[in-house]
Amino acid sequence: MADTEVRRIIWRSADVARVFLMGMLFLFLWRFFWMVHSALFIVMLAILIAIVIHAPAKWLTRVGVPFRLALPLMVIVFVGSLVGLMVAMVPELMAQIRLLATQLPETLDQAQVWFARETGQGPESELSRSLNEQVTGFITRFVPLAFNLISTLLGSFAIIVLATFFAAQPTLYRDLLLRFAPVDTRDRWMRVYEEAAANLRRWTLGKAVTMLGIGIVTYIGLTMFKIPGALALAAFAALMEFIPNFGPTIAAAPAVVAAFAISPRTALYVAIFYFLLQQVQNAITVPLVERRAVNIPPAMLLVWQLMLAVGFGILALFVATPLLAVLAVVVRIMYLEPTEERQTWNRRETLVAAAGADGLPPPQPLPDGA
């Protein structure tokens, strides 16, 4: 019986020190990321806005407009559109919040009466109390969320300034980042930049068109239902369209609550309207924008969004999809492709060694055209 050789893994002091230093480095980087994650997310938003500004500016250069004139023109158009939307939206949003605050008790009483009539459940039933608590809890969370959204929009001009710098000289910042990479890996990092930029460009421009369409359709639908603050709610729906999976649901909630101020039946119609709009969106816009531009499995995207939302809050949802798209390109080019290449070369070396051990000549490459 052949003797079996038992290998023992001996940890040297240098190995223990190396593992300890790697663990400390990981903890330091994680702590640093936790401290600056808001700034990193803001930079990601600035990059996405820079794409929205830079793409039409480059298109204007194709028709003869100099880039020095096209870029400021697109910045003025973008900022003017944002200011005009805020001027029209903020008063309606504030009026909607005041309306909900004053009419909320009466609205909840009407909803309880309608619910009891339709289902036979009295106002003291467990189901009725549960729904009442959930609606009241949502209102108490929605009002500060609306104020936070207004402050975020007011602070977004700093992001626009940063996006303008990115859009004006994208190659300058690309070359600056490449200088931090080792010389032998710069070609791969250049591929990462080009493919990630192409994916982000397709996704961002597709999302911009989708957001505009969702805003227009939502405004028309809410106007037909005579919902007060239709413009603010439509702008909120367009903004939430930027967030896959969760955005349409978040956008529907304040519109349904506002519709309760008219009647519970109107709220039901508004809920059906948002549901049908989301189904059309999932059938048309998601295949055209999400899968073609990013090509990320829906389950992976949903888990990624939940992780970022739980760990970093609502701001992380806005950058979850583009951030995952960039990470997917980095992992594929910097890890998966080199690993596959090494495995291919290892298989070739094994075949050559086996052929030499058998006394046979190593396999020769086929001539061109064979």
Side-chain angles (χ1 to χ4, degrees):
M1 185 175 181
D3 296 336
T4 58
E5 181 180 358
V6 179
R7 296 184 178 181
R8 296 181 178 179
I9 301 176
I10 300 176
W11 285 81
R12 299 175 298 178
S13 299
D15 297 330
V16 175
R18 189 178 297 110
V19 172
F20 177 76
L21 290 176
M22 291 178 61
M24 293 298 295
L25 179 61
F26 174 79
L27 292 177
F28 171 77
L29 292 177
W30 176 253
R31 179 62 178 174
F32 178 76
F33 175 77
W34 185 264
M35 294 172 60
V36 302
H37 69 273
S38 297
L40 295 178
F41 293 157
I42 289 175
V43 170
M44 192 68 189
L45 286 175
I47 292 174
L48 299 178
I49 296 175
I51 293 174
V52 175
I53 297 174
H54 185 268
K58 291 294 290 184
W59 180 83
L60 288 177
T61 59
R62 298 178 183 177
V63 297
V65 180
F67 185 75
R68 293 181 179 179
L69 179 61
L71 181 64
L73 179 62
M74 294 312 304
V75 172
I76 293 173
V77 171
F78 184 82
V79 174
S81 302
L82 185 61
V83 170
L85 184 61
M86 289 180 59
V87 170
M89 184 183 71
V90 171
E92 288 194 11
L93 185 60
M94 300 301 296
Q96 188 68 24
I97 293 175
R98 288 194 297 268
L99 180 65
L100 289 177
T102 56
Q103 296 186 358
L104 181 60
E106 182 182 356
T107 301
L108 291 179
D109 292 339
Q110 293 178 0
Q112 288 182 355
V113 172
W114 176 83
F115 182 78
R117 184 175 65 251
E118 296 294 332
T119 62
Q121 299 284 339
E124 300 299 328
S125 65
E126 183 67 25
L127 181 59
S128 179
R129 287 197 301 269
S130 177
L131 290 176
N132 190 12
E133 292 176 358
Q134 292 180 8
V135 173
T136 306
F138 171 77
I139 294 298
T140 57
R141 290 190 297 268
F142 171 71
V143 174
L145 177 62
F147 283 103
N148 291 334
L149 180 61
I150 295 174
S151 62
T152 301
L153 291 176
L154 293 176
S156 62
F157 289 102
I159 303 177
I160 295 175
V161 173
L162 182 60
T164 303
F165 287 120
F166 288 154
Q169 295 177 313
T171 55
L172 174 65
Y173 300 100
R174 179 200 64 189
D175 297 339
L176 180 62
L177 291 176
L178 288 177
R179 290 178 183 177
F180 290 95
V183 178
D184 56 341
T185 63
R186 287 183 181 177
D187 292 339
R188 291 186 180 274
W189 282 112
M190 187 65 184
R191 284 187 54 203
V192 170
Y193 176 85
E194 293 176 350
E195 294 192 20
N199 289 345
L200 289 180
R201 189 181 303 112
R202 289 193 296 265
W203 185 83
T204 304
L205 297 179
K207 272 295 181 181
V209 175
T210 304
M211 291 169 63
L212 180 61
I214 291 295
I216 294 174
V217 174
T218 303
Y219 177 74
I220 295 174
L222 296 180
T223 302
M224 292 176 60
F225 289 118
K226 299 180 180 179
I227 304 298
L231 180 60
L233 294 173
F236 183 70
L239 181 63
M240 290 297 103
E241 176 62 20
F242 197 80
I243 305 176
N245 299 324
F246 297 103
T249 303
I250 298 174
V256 174
V257 173
F260 264 112
I262 300 176
S263 68
R265 188 177 299 275
T266 304
L268 178 61
Y269 292 155
V270 170
I272 295 175
F273 167 75
Y274 272 89
F275 176 76
L276 295 178
L277 183 61
Q278 184 174 1
Q279 299 308 309
V280 173
Q281 173 206 0
N282 293 335
I284 298 178
T285 61
V286 171
L288 292 178
V289 177
E290 302 290 339
R291 296 175 186 172
R292 289 190 179 184
V294 182
N295 195 20
I296 296 176
M300 180 183 297
L301 177 59
L302 183 59
V303 172
W304 175 255
Q305 287 178 318
L306 289 173
M307 291 171 56
L308 291 187
V310 172
F312 305 106
I314 188 65
L315 181 61
L317 285 177
F318 286 90
V319 299
T321 302
L323 186 59
L324 182 58
V326 173
L327 292 178
V329 174
V330 172
V331 171
R332 176 172 57 83
I333 295 179
M334 301 303 297
Y335 176 73
L336 295 181
E337 291 184 0
T339 302
E340 293 175 356
E341 291 178 1
R342 286 194 297 268
Q343 291 177 353
T344 301
W345 282 106
N346 290 337
R347 286 195 297 268
R348 291 179 180 177
E349 292 176 356
T350 303
L351 292 176
V352 170
D358 294 338
L360 299 176
Q364 300 294 326
L366 294 175
D368 294 339

